[in-house]
Amino acid sequence: MSATTLSAVARTAEPLGMLRRFLALDAVVTGVNGLAYVAASGPLGRLLGVDPTLLLWLGVFLLAYAADVGWLASRREPSGFLTRVVIDMNVVWVAASLAALALWLTPTTTGVVWGLMQAGTVGGFAALQFGALRLIR
């Protein structure tokens, strides 16, 4: 991914600003997802074909993770090490989501589409964060 593409997506040419925006966007999207899982685990579980208790606990995890990523985004200069942890966690989430869809869960069609979209979004965050982090170095 080029610096020009990253700049266009982040609406800033300053690498630290890009990284902070990508981390903040990750935190917001993750937090909204986690809140939905916690607040509506029953209806969402039926819609997606996923156990509501699993969604509830995933939501709790996502809310805590979003708070941590949001805190990192709020730093004037986010730690490179912690940013790499976020990137790695996002990659693990993508792999675990795909594995769960293929091997463990029996989701509805909506659940499959949601799982793939979620994995793609999280993978996109990882790629954007990685690209911005590389520009800083």
Side-chain angles (χ1 to χ4, degrees):
M1 190 171 284
S2 73
T4 305
T5 304
L6 285 174
S7 294
V9 173
R11 296 181 189 248
T12 180
E14 196 265 313
L16 274 175
M18 280 186 226
L19 179 59
R20 291 179 67 222
R21 285 183 189 208
F22 295 145
L23 289 168
L25 181 61
D26 187 350
V28 168
V29 171
T30 300
V32 168
N33 196 28
L35 187 59
Y37 286 177
V38 168
S41 59
L44 285 174
R46 287 187 293 279
L47 176 68
L48 302 175
V50 177
D51 178 57
T53 304
L54 174 62
L55 282 184
L56 176 66
W57 286 110
L58 282 174
V60 169
F61 169 78
L62 290 175
L63 286 172
Y65 181 73
D68 289 342
V69 176
W71 173 85
L72 183 60
S74 74
R75 304 294 87 190
R76 186 167 180 212
E77 291 187 32
S79 158
F81 172 76
L82 293 178
T83 298
R84 284 189 300 277
V85 169
V86 168
I87 293 166
D88 290 347
M89 290 289 292
N90 283 343
V91 170
V92 167
W93 182 270
V94 170
S97 295
L98 296 176
L101 285 172
L103 304 172
W104 179 40
L105 300 175
T106 53
T108 62
T109 301
T110 302
V112 170
V113 171
W114 176 254
L116 293 174
M117 286 178 26
Q118 184 179 192
T121 300
V122 173
F125 287 147
L128 290 169
Q129 292 157 354
F130 180 76
L133 189 60
R134 284 189 62 199
L135 289 176
I136 292 169
R137 295 179 180 193

